[in-house]
Amino acid sequence: MKNYRAELVGVFGDPVEGNPTGVTMEAAFADKGLDYRYLTLKVLPADLEDAMRSLYVLHMRGINLTMPHKIKVLPLLDELSEAARIIGAVNTVVLREDGKLFGENTDGKGFVQALHHRGVTLEGKNITLLGAGGAAKAIAVECALAGAASITVVNRTLERAQELADTLKKHTKTEAYSERWESRHQISGSTDILINATSIGMYPDDGQKPDIDPEGITPEMVVADVVFDPADTLFLKEAAMRGATPVNGLGMLARQAALNFKLWTGVEPSLEVMEETLRRETERKKI
């Protein structure tokens, strides 16, 4: 008998109208011949508990969570991954066969995989991380779990940088330090990997770049950016001109989505399909 019921996944958020994940996921589902649908759903904070119960009611496979739900969802889950527990935030939930809700955070994992794709290992590396927000925390935790020797968190508000450094020291073996982000901030010469984990340089403000002294970027460094629109940010272009190895945010975003895809379906998606779809979507918005 023909099955007319698609498997359902999606994202809960507010606002959520500008989230391109659904287009990327649908393209990857089609590429693998999977009868899945990705729903982009506006969920207000007051309705999150009801929305999470709908996973059971609608027999969904799982859900992504974006702002403002990544932290508030924690008490509604049955189990967390190690990274999600340390980060204190979840962006992906799986409704398992045993009826339990499992929470994962794939933001940092996607970043680490993007580095590995460029042949960059984290073990024993010294990292300078610009920013201390949600993306920065996810990336810092995953880099620490992957064996980074040290992570220096640079942030305008020193207290937030100190909080993240303290989290790393408490839960991982990585040395962690904090610095206040000064104008034309000086990057330590011992830095192996420099990461912009802020939204500076994101379209339509793509003429901006993090306020650091570019003289501190050396050919030996890997320079990464979480900004994916544009993929080739001004920050990365300048780093490449100085001989550093650039790693863009588009690869991170595609790999994060690919991890979610596999958690829900058990199937490895095509990264090429996901990256090309994301690139096409970001370009389409500007026409």
Side-chain angles (χ1 to χ4, degrees), residues 70-89:
K70 290 186 177 185
I71 297 173
K72 293 179 180 178
V73 76
L74 294 176
L76 306 177
L77 303 177
D78 300 301
E79 186 180 338
L80 299 176
S81 71
E82 180 186 19
R85 177 179 54 79
I86 297 172
I87 295 164

Side-chain angles (χ1 to χ4, degrees), residues 51 77 86 143 146-147 221 236 275 278:
L77 303 177
I86 297 172
C143 287
M221 284 184 189
L236 291 184
E275 281 199 43
L278 280 170

Side-chain angles (χ1 to χ4, degrees), residues 166-181:
D166 288 344
T167 295
L168 295 174
K169 286 187 283 189
K170 180 179 179 181
H171 295 286
T172 76
K173 298 177 181 178
T174 297
E175 293 294 324
Y177 310 95
S178 58
E179 293 180 1
R180 187 187 304 280
W181 193 340

Side-chain angles (χ1 to χ4, degrees), residues 7 12 37 73 108 135 142 211 223 256 266:
E7 300 288 353
F12 293 158
R37 296 293 178 270
V73 76
E142 292 292 353
D211 187 11
V223 178
Q256 170 197 323

Side-chain angles (χ1 to χ4, degrees), residues 176-211:
Y177 310 95
S178 58
E179 293 180 1
R180 187 187 304 280
W181 193 340
E182 308 290 354
S183 179
R184 286 182 66 82
H185 195 84
Q186 302 295 314
I187 302 303
S188 168
S190 65
T191 299
D192 298 305
I193 304 173
L194 172 62
I195 305 166
N196 173 34
T198 77
S199 61
I200 298 170
M202 179 76 82
Y203 179 83
D205 298 319
D206 46 336
Q208 298 183 7
K209 60 182 179 179
D211 187 11

Side-chain angles (χ1 to χ4, degrees), residues 22-38 261 265 267-270 273-274 277 280:
V23 177
T24 309
M25 285 290 188
E26 293 276 354
F29 292 146
D31 177 69
K32 292 298 179 180
L34 297 176
D35 192 8
Y36 274 66
R37 296 293 178 270
Y38 190 98
F261 186 106
T265 69
V267 176
E268 288 280 0
S270 166
V273 167
M274 291 186 131
T277 303
R280 187 170 61 248

Side-chain angles (χ1 to χ4, degrees), residues 116-143:
H116 287 168
H117 179 68
R118 295 297 303 273
V120 180
T121 59
L122 284 153
E123 191 168 356
K125 298 296 174 61
N126 298 314
I127 295 172
T128 297
L129 181 68
L130 305 177
K137 190 171 187 180
I139 288 169
V141 168
E142 292 292 353
C143 287

